[in-house]
Amino acid sequence: MTTRERDRDRDLLIPVSALPENGGSKSSSPSSSPPTAVPPPHHHSGREAISKVVQSWASKKFMTGCVILLPMAITFYVTWGFIHFVDGFFSPIYNHLGINIFGLGFVTSMTFIFLVGIFMSSWLGASVLTLGEWFIKKMPLVSYIYSASKQISAAISPDQTSNAFKEVALIRHPRIGEYAFGFITSSVILQRNVGEEELTCVYVPSNHLYIGDLFLISSNDIIRPNLSVREGIEIVISGGMSIPQILTTVDAQVTPAARIGHLAALKV
């Protein structure tokens, strides 16, 4: 057997996997372990995407619960505090008598306020109130507090004959294209050399219902929406959240009726 044939037989006996790929040494260690399999990168990215979706869903549901429960909690807290405050007027009397029933003082206070309203609506009650106000106005500091409190209470009084807000008004302020929400309080006559002009006093709340500015505006430049004074106060207190989606003016409802009457007169 020639040398070339022996080399060929030897090459056939050596396994191919043992030969190095770089053509280096043909000997390899039999104890070397195969490389560890690396997981595909998309496996981790899929888990992270699912985790983000779950976190986003949980945060949205949590915020939805907060939005629903927050006004309920505030309403319950304010109502409960108001009940405790009003109940405290007469509850010490019942406690002194040995009657410990929660809410009895609140019911007594509501009944007392109702009876005061009935009494003050009479001629005798109005006389007593006038006499009491005369004494209060003689006091230096108390008179200012009472006057401010009376103006605030008169604004929401159902008796519109008092010095309260007369109507709800929209005025162009501070520039053309922008409107301010206000209340008509009174009207004045401006006398000039060219003639007289009727001006309307419009109170525009700037921060809340109790802080604002007073404007004297021509009556022709005032827009009167079809809103009551109570609805206007609710809109201001809520920061505009209770305003209706569609506002109609008073003249918008009067004008079609006038046109219908005018057409009927023409047909006759």
Side-chain angles (χ1 to χ4, degrees):
M1 182 178 294
T2 61
T3 305
R4 183 177 298 177
E5 291 178 355
R6 285 198 305 267
D7 294 339
R8 185 184 61 184
D9 295 338
R10 186 183 61 185
D11 293 338
L12 292 175
L13 293 175
I14 297 175
V16 178
S17 59
L19 295 177
E21 295 180 356
N22 54 2
S25 174
K26 294 182 180 180
S27 62
S28 61
S29 175
S31 62
S32 61
S33 59
T36 306
V38 179
H42 62 81
H43 181 69
H44 295 286
S45 61
R47 275 195 301 183
E48 292 177 357
I50 295 175
S51 176
K52 290 181 179 179
V53 170
V54 172
Q55 291 178 0
S56 177
W57 178 82
S59 62
K60 288 182 179 179
K61 297 303 178 183
F62 180 80
M63 292 303 300
T64 302
C66 290
V67 170
I68 294 174
L69 293 178
L70 182 62
M72 294 182 181
I74 293 176
T75 304
F76 177 79
Y77 180 79
V78 173
T79 305
W80 188 257
F82 176 76
I83 292 175
H84 272 278
F85 175 75
V86 178
D87 185 76
F89 289 109
F90 289 94
S91 58
I93 300 176
Y94 289 111
N95 293 333
H96 183 72
L97 297 176
I99 303 175
N100 297 322
I101 301 177
F102 177 76
L104 186 59
F106 176 78
V107 174
T108 307
S109 300
M110 293 292 102
T111 305
F112 176 76
I113 294 172
F114 178 74
L115 294 177
V116 168
I118 295 177
F119 176 72
M120 290 302 174
S121 300
S122 63
W123 175 82
L124 181 60
S127 301
V128 173
L129 179 61
T130 303
L131 182 62
E133 288 182 346
W134 183 81
F135 281 107
I136 292 176
K137 289 180 181 179
K138 296 299 181 180
M139 301 179 183
L141 180 62
V142 179
S143 60
Y144 294 105
I145 300 175
Y146 179 77
S147 299
S149 303
K150 186 178 180 181
Q151 291 177 0
I152 295 172
S153 62
I156 59 176
S157 174
D159 185 12
Q160 295 300 323
T161 59
S162 60
N163 294 326
F165 297 153
K166 305 301 181 183
E167 295 180 70
V168 180
L170 294 176
I171 62 174
R172 291 180 175 88
H173 175 75
R175 59 184 181 181
I176 299 176
E178 295 184 5
Y179 296 90
F181 203 85
F183 300 93
I184 297 176
T185 56
S186 60
S187 60
V188 297
I189 301 297
L190 178 62
Q191 294 182 349
R192 297 183 297 181
N193 295 330
V194 295
E196 296 181 350
E197 182 182 4
E198 182 182 3
L199 299 179
T200 303
C201 298
V202 180
Y203 172 75
V204 178
S206 58
N207 184 16
H208 209 268
L209 186 63
Y210 318 124
I211 302 176
D213 301 319
L214 183 64
F215 297 94
L216 294 175
I217 303 174
S218 176
S219 301
N220 299 326
D221 297 333
I222 294 177
I223 302 175
R224 291 175 168 84
N226 190 21
L227 295 173
S228 64
V229 175
R230 191 176 301 274
E231 291 173 341
I233 293 175
E234 291 177 358
I235 291 172
V236 173
I237 293 177
S238 64
M241 290 184 290
S242 63
I243 191 170
Q245 295 182 353
I246 300 176
L247 284 177
T248 58
T249 58
V250 177
D251 54 354
Q253 295 183 350
V254 175
T255 302
R259 290 178 180 176
I260 292 174
H262 182 65
L263 292 175
L266 291 177
K267 290 180 180 179
V268 174

